[in-house]
Amino acid sequence: MAEALRTRGRRTPAALPAVRPFGPPRGDRRHPLVATAMVLPLAALLVVLFGGWEAVVAQASSVGVMLGR
C-alpha cells in the first residue's frame, strides 16, 4: 500500500522508456551517406597522423608493378 501511495502520479523507473544518449534508437538504420560523412573526418585525421597516404600510394604502386604497368 505504501508503495502505491509513493508512486501515485509518477512513472516508476521500470515504466520509463530507455534513453540512449548517442545515436538513433535501436533498430533504426542510418543512411549510408550519413555514415560516410561521419567517418570521413576521422579517416582523414588518421591518414594525416600516421602517414597513411604514403602507405596507400606505395601499395598501389606495388600492385601496378605486379600487374606489369
Side-chain angles (χ1 to χ4, degrees):
M1 175 92 172
E3 182 66 29
L5 291 176
R6 275 186 282 172
T7 60
R8 179 178 285 159
R10 291 182 291 161
R11 295 174 77 181
T12 60
L16 294 174
V19 176
R20 292 185 61 221
F22 302 106
R26 292 197 188 273
D28 288 350
R29 296 188 57 165
R30 68 174 48 97
H31 194 277
L33 289 177
V34 173
T36 303
M38 291 171 65
V39 140
L40 281 178
L42 177 62
L45 177 68
L46 291 174
V47 164
V48 170
L49 286 178
F50 295 107
W53 185 248
E54 289 83 11
V56 170
V57 170
Q59 192 71 22
S61 97
S62 297
V63 170
V65 169
M66 284 184 0
L67 293 176
R69 293 183 175 209

